């Protein structure tokens, strides 16, 4: 039982390159989230998916797109990476919309040069 | 959206000391959780506590939803308690928002 799996764990990009962060959960959770964490700023919500087939913007969606491919998978895409997107990205999932414990992946460290 | 404030931002403890961390939020919530981020960056859920009191070993938490705050208590602190403690809340939309965290350093 792997929980929430993120790939890749580390990535270095040049400004303007694109990439996709993959996230998969095997807990049959309905809701999935993408956060970014910058030093001293806690975790900020980028996008979330309340259920399969729906996605919504969080606090900091600019420069990102997401796809809820199926109930298990929720990917985050950077179309044209910028140095301001250097951060640690966390995927998380939640069983119920109204309640329940949030489970996190191990994080993906992205550096944009 | 809902605002989450945590205090204090930093806390330095001597091993064996007790401490209280606070989380204030700006609106009614139906989900409140406390997390610990260890020095390796892993985020571990400590408590799911939208209301009431829970205890788990040396840690306990209380949420007073009507007054919009939650407290996390650490008793007899150990060096392994070091890290960042986050409070996360969700109101009646689906966004789960985090506070900026309290960085705890426990010295031997």
């Amino acid at each position: 039982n792997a929980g929430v799996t993120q790939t890749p764990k580390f990535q270095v990009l040049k400004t303007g390159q694109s990439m996709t962060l993959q996230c998969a959960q095997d807990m049959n959770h309905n809701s999935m989230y993408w956060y970014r964490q910058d030093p001293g700023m806690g975790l900020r919500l980028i996008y979330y998916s309340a259920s399969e087939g729906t996605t919504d913007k969080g606090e900091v969606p600019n420069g990102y797109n997401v796809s809820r491919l199926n109930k298990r998978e929720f990917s985050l895409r950077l179309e044209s990476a910028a140095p301001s997107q250097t951060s640690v990205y966390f995927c998380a999932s939640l069983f119920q919309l109204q309640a329940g414990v949030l489970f996190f992946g191990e994080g993906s460290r992205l550096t944009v040069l | 959206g809902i605002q989450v404030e945590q205090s204090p931002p930093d806390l330095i403890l001597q091993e064996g000391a007790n401490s209280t961390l606070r989380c204030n939020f700006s609106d009614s919530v139906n989900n409140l959780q406390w997390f610990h981020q260890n020095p390796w960056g892993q985020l571990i859920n400590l408590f799911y506590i939208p209301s009431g009191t829970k205890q788990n070993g040396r840690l306990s938490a209380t949420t007073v939803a009507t007054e919009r705050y939650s407290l996390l208590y650490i008793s007899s602190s150990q060096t392994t308690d070091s890290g960042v403690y986050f409070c996360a809340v969700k109101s009646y939309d689906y966004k789960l928002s985090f506070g900026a965290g309290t960085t705890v350093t426990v010295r031997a």
Side-chain angles (χ1 to χ4, degrees), chain B residues 54-77:
Chain B
K54 290 187 177 180
Q55 180 155 8
N56 184 1
R58 297 181 295 101
L59 301 180
S60 62
T62 295
T63 298
V64 183
T66 53
E67 297 187 22
R68 299 182 183 172
Y69 72 89
S70 183
L71 302 174
L72 178 70
Y73 305 97
I74 305 174
S75 65
S76 303
S77 58

mmCIF file of all heavy atoms in Angstrom, chain B residues 54-77:
data_model
loop_
_atom_site.group_PDB
_atom_site.id
_atom_site.type_symbol
_atom_site.label_atom_id
_atom_site.label_comp_id
_atom_site.label_asym_id
_atom_site.label_seq_id
_atom_site.Cartn_x
_atom_site.Cartn_y
_atom_site.Cartn_z
ATOM 1 N N LYS B 54 -8.382 15.738 21.603
ATOM 2 C CA LYS B 54 -7.818 14.418 21.359
ATOM 3 C C LYS B 54 -6.420 14.356 21.950
ATOM 4 O O LYS B 54 -5.739 15.373 22.073
ATOM 5 C CB LYS B 54 -7.738 14.120 19.852
ATOM 6 C CG LYS B 54 -9.076 13.901 19.188
ATOM 7 C CD LYS B 54 -8.891 13.455 17.744
ATOM 8 C CE LYS B 54 -10.233 13.165 17.089
ATOM 9 N NZ LYS B 54 -10.078 12.734 15.684
ATOM 10 N N GLN B 55 -6.006 13.146 22.289
ATOM 11 C CA GLN B 55 -4.657 12.955 22.800
ATOM 12 C C GLN B 55 -4.028 11.768 22.098
ATOM 13 O O GLN B 55 -4.686 10.775 21.802
ATOM 14 C CB GLN B 55 -4.685 12.713 24.314
ATOM 15 C CG GLN B 55 -3.301 12.514 24.903
ATOM 16 C CD GLN B 55 -3.231 12.880 26.375
ATOM 17 O OE1 GLN B 55 -4.250 13.150 27.006
ATOM 18 N NE2 GLN B 55 -2.031 12.906 26.908
ATOM 19 N N ASN B 56 -2.710 11.911 21.854
ATOM 20 C CA ASN B 56 -1.949 10.815 21.272
ATOM 21 C C ASN B 56 -0.561 10.858 21.894
ATOM 22 O O ASN B 56 0.310 11.631 21.481
ATOM 23 C CB ASN B 56 -1.874 10.959 19.761
ATOM 24 C CG ASN B 56 -1.158 9.772 19.122
ATOM 25 O OD1 ASN B 56 -0.736 8.838 19.816
ATOM 26 N ND2 ASN B 56 -1.025 9.789 17.817
ATOM 27 N N GLY B 57 -0.367 10.053 22.929
ATOM 28 C CA GLY B 57 0.924 10.040 23.620
ATOM 29 C C GLY B 57 1.198 11.372 24.291
ATOM 30 O O GLY B 57 0.392 11.860 25.076
ATOM 31 N N ARG B 58 2.339 11.980 23.947
ATOM 32 C CA ARG B 58 2.711 13.265 24.568
ATOM 33 C C ARG B 58 2.049 14.460 23.889
ATOM 34 O O ARG B 58 2.210 15.594 24.328
ATOM 35 C CB ARG B 58 4.230 13.426 24.513
ATOM 36 C CG ARG B 58 5.005 12.385 25.308
ATOM 37 C CD ARG B 58 6.512 12.621 25.218
ATOM 38 N NE ARG B 58 6.978 12.441 23.827
ATOM 39 C CZ ARG B 58 7.234 13.426 23.001
ATOM 40 N NH1 ARG B 58 7.095 14.688 23.379
ATOM 41 N NH2 ARG B 58 7.673 13.165 21.794
ATOM 42 N N LEU B 59 1.353 14.222 22.814
ATOM 43 C CA LEU B 59 0.694 15.301 22.085
ATOM 44 C C LEU B 59 -0.801 15.276 22.365
ATOM 45 O O LEU B 59 -1.401 14.201 22.481
ATOM 46 C CB LEU B 59 0.917 15.155 20.578
ATOM 47 C CG LEU B 59 2.348 15.163 20.058
ATOM 48 C CD1 LEU B 59 2.350 15.018 18.553
ATOM 49 C CD2 LEU B 59 3.082 16.415 20.486
ATOM 50 N N SER B 60 -1.367 16.452 22.454
ATOM 51 C CA SER B 60 -2.814 16.559 22.523
ATOM 52 C C SER B 60 -3.237 17.822 21.789
ATOM 53 O O SER B 60 -2.412 18.722 21.548
ATOM 54 C CB SER B 60 -3.320 16.578 23.967
ATOM 55 O OG SER B 60 -2.821 17.705 24.654
ATOM 56 N N ALA B 61 -4.507 17.857 21.390
ATOM 57 C CA ALA B 61 -5.023 19.005 20.656
ATOM 58 C C ALA B 61 -6.442 19.285 21.097
ATOM 59 O O ALA B 61 -7.192 18.362 21.435
ATOM 60 C CB ALA B 61 -4.969 18.762 19.149
ATOM 61 N N THR B 62 -6.772 20.582 21.068
ATOM 62 C CA THR B 62 -8.125 21.022 21.393
ATOM 63 C C THR B 62 -8.558 22.037 20.358
ATOM 64 O O THR B 62 -7.802 22.961 20.046
ATOM 65 C CB THR B 62 -8.166 21.682 22.787
ATOM 66 O OG1 THR B 62 -7.855 20.699 23.774
ATOM 67 C CG2 THR B 62 -9.538 22.271 23.062
ATOM 68 N N THR B 63 -9.759 21.878 19.838
ATOM 69 C CA THR B 63 -10.338 22.861 18.932
ATOM 70 C C THR B 63 -11.632 23.389 19.533
ATOM 71 O O THR B 63 -12.516 22.599 19.893
ATOM 72 C CB THR B 63 -10.622 22.264 17.550
ATOM 73 O OG1 THR B 63 -9.389 21.843 16.960
ATOM 74 C CG2 THR B 63 -11.289 23.285 16.629
ATOM 75 N N VAL B 64 -11.701 24.719 19.633
ATOM 76 C CA VAL B 64 -12.941 25.375 20.068
ATOM 77 C C VAL B 64 -13.508 26.057 18.828
ATOM 78 O O VAL B 64 -13.161 27.200 18.512
ATOM 79 C CB VAL B 64 -12.676 26.374 21.205
ATOM 80 C CG1 VAL B 64 -14.001 26.977 21.682
ATOM 81 C CG2 VAL B 64 -11.952 25.689 22.356
ATOM 82 N N ALA B 65 -14.350 25.336 18.115
ATOM 83 C CA ALA B 65 -14.814 25.799 16.816
ATOM 84 C C ALA B 65 -15.613 27.100 16.921
ATOM 85 O O ALA B 65 -15.503 27.971 16.055
ATOM 86 C CB ALA B 65 -15.649 24.711 16.154
ATOM 87 N N THR B 66 -16.402 27.238 17.984
ATOM 88 C CA THR B 66 -17.231 28.435 18.133
ATOM 89 C C THR B 66 -16.383 29.684 18.322
ATOM 90 O O THR B 66 -16.812 30.788 17.988
ATOM 91 C CB THR B 66 -18.183 28.290 19.321
ATOM 92 O OG1 THR B 66 -17.415 27.948 20.480
ATOM 93 C CG2 THR B 66 -19.221 27.200 19.046
ATOM 94 N N GLU B 67 -15.166 29.522 18.850
ATOM 95 C CA GLU B 67 -14.278 30.675 19.046
ATOM 96 C C GLU B 67 -13.162 30.706 18.010
ATOM 97 O O GLU B 67 -12.272 31.547 18.080
ATOM 98 C CB GLU B 67 -13.706 30.653 20.470
ATOM 99 C CG GLU B 67 -14.807 30.802 21.518
ATOM 100 C CD GLU B 67 -14.263 30.942 22.919
ATOM 101 O OE1 GLU B 67 -13.082 31.348 23.071
ATOM 102 O OE2 GLU B 67 -15.007 30.645 23.869
ATOM 103 N N ARG B 68 -13.181 29.772 17.089
ATOM 104 C CA ARG B 68 -12.300 29.774 15.914
ATOM 105 C C ARG B 68 -10.825 29.691 16.270
ATOM 106 O O ARG B 68 -9.985 30.477 15.788
ATOM 107 C CB ARG B 68 -12.595 30.980 15.014
ATOM 108 C CG ARG B 68 -14.025 30.959 14.490
ATOM 109 C CD ARG B 68 -14.319 32.084 13.571
ATOM 110 N NE ARG B 68 -15.734 32.060 13.155
ATOM 111 C CZ ARG B 68 -16.316 33.023 12.462
ATOM 112 N NH1 ARG B 68 -15.633 34.095 12.103
ATOM 113 N NH2 ARG B 68 -17.588 32.918 12.122
ATOM 114 N N TYR B 69 -10.498 28.731 17.131
ATOM 115 C CA TYR B 69 -9.087 28.482 17.380
ATOM 116 C C TYR B 69 -8.864 27.025 17.747
ATOM 117 O O TYR B 69 -9.794 26.320 18.156
ATOM 118 C CB TYR B 69 -8.518 29.398 18.469
ATOM 119 C CG TYR B 69 -8.962 29.080 19.874
ATOM 120 C CD1 TYR B 69 -8.250 28.167 20.665
ATOM 121 C CD2 TYR B 69 -10.088 29.685 20.424
ATOM 122 C CE1 TYR B 69 -8.660 27.879 21.956
ATOM 123 C CE2 TYR B 69 -10.502 29.410 21.711
ATOM 124 C CZ TYR B 69 -9.786 28.505 22.474
ATOM 125 O OH TYR B 69 -10.198 28.211 23.749
ATOM 126 N N SER B 70 -7.615 26.609 17.571
ATOM 127 C CA SER B 70 -7.194 25.274 17.973
ATOM 128 C C SER B 70 -5.827 25.384 18.632
ATOM 129 O O SER B 70 -5.026 26.261 18.285
ATOM 130 C CB SER B 70 -7.112 24.344 16.752
ATOM 131 O OG SER B 70 -6.763 23.029 17.141
ATOM 132 N N LEU B 71 -5.577 24.502 19.589
ATOM 133 C CA LEU B 71 -4.318 24.475 20.317
ATOM 134 C C LEU B 71 -3.695 23.089 20.205
ATOM 135 O O LEU B 71 -4.403 22.078 20.294
ATOM 136 C CB LEU B 71 -4.547 24.801 21.796
ATOM 137 C CG LEU B 71 -5.206 26.142 22.106
ATOM 138 C CD1 LEU B 71 -5.496 26.253 23.606
ATOM 139 C CD2 LEU B 71 -4.332 27.298 21.657
ATOM 140 N N LEU B 72 -2.393 23.073 20.028
ATOM 141 C CA LEU B 72 -1.633 21.822 20.036
ATOM 142 C C LEU B 72 -0.680 21.874 21.215
ATOM 143 O O LEU B 72 0.101 22.830 21.346
ATOM 144 C CB LEU B 72 -0.850 21.646 18.729
ATOM 145 C CG LEU B 72 0.021 20.396 18.635
ATOM 146 C CD1 LEU B 72 -0.854 19.144 18.530
ATOM 147 C CD2 LEU B 72 0.949 20.478 17.419
ATOM 148 N N TYR B 73 -0.749 20.864 22.072
ATOM 149 C CA TYR B 73 0.101 20.793 23.252
ATOM 150 C C TYR B 73 1.172 19.726 23.053
ATOM 151 O O TYR B 73 0.861 18.601 22.633
ATOM 152 C CB TYR B 73 -0.713 20.409 24.493
ATOM 153 C CG TYR B 73 -1.895 21.290 24.778
ATOM 154 C CD1 TYR B 73 -3.168 20.924 24.368
ATOM 155 C CD2 TYR B 73 -1.746 22.483 25.480
ATOM 156 C CE1 TYR B 73 -4.269 21.723 24.644
ATOM 157 C CE2 TYR B 73 -2.850 23.287 25.764
ATOM 158 C CZ TYR B 73 -4.102 22.896 25.337
ATOM 159 O OH TYR B 73 -5.196 23.694 25.613
ATOM 160 N N ILE B 74 2.401 20.109 23.353
ATOM 161 C CA ILE B 74 3.504 19.153 23.365
ATOM 162 C C ILE B 74 3.998 19.070 24.798
ATOM 163 O O ILE B 74 4.409 20.085 25.378
ATOM 164 C CB ILE B 74 4.659 19.587 22.443
ATOM 165 C CG1 ILE B 74 4.151 19.842 21.027
ATOM 166 C CG2 ILE B 74 5.755 18.530 22.433
ATOM 167 C CD1 ILE B 74 5.218 20.421 20.094
ATOM 168 N N SER B 75 3.953 17.890 25.367
ATOM 169 C CA SER B 75 4.456 17.726 26.735
ATOM 170 C C SER B 75 5.748 16.918 26.723
ATOM 171 O O SER B 75 5.973 16.097 25.823
ATOM 172 C CB SER B 75 3.411 17.033 27.613
ATOM 173 O OG SER B 75 3.177 15.722 27.161
ATOM 174 N N SER B 76 6.589 17.196 27.707
ATOM 175 C CA SER B 76 7.873 16.488 27.856
ATOM 176 C C SER B 76 8.591 16.373 26.513
ATOM 177 O O SER B 76 8.908 15.277 26.046
ATOM 178 C CB SER B 76 7.632 15.090 28.444
ATOM 179 O OG SER B 76 6.963 15.174 29.671
ATOM 180 N N SER B 77 8.847 17.527 25.892
ATOM 181 C CA SER B 77 9.368 17.549 24.533
ATOM 182 C C SER B 77 10.680 16.773 24.396
ATOM 183 O O SER B 77 11.491 16.696 25.327
ATOM 184 C CB SER B 77 9.554 18.988 24.065
ATOM 185 O OG SER B 77 10.431 19.670 24.933
#
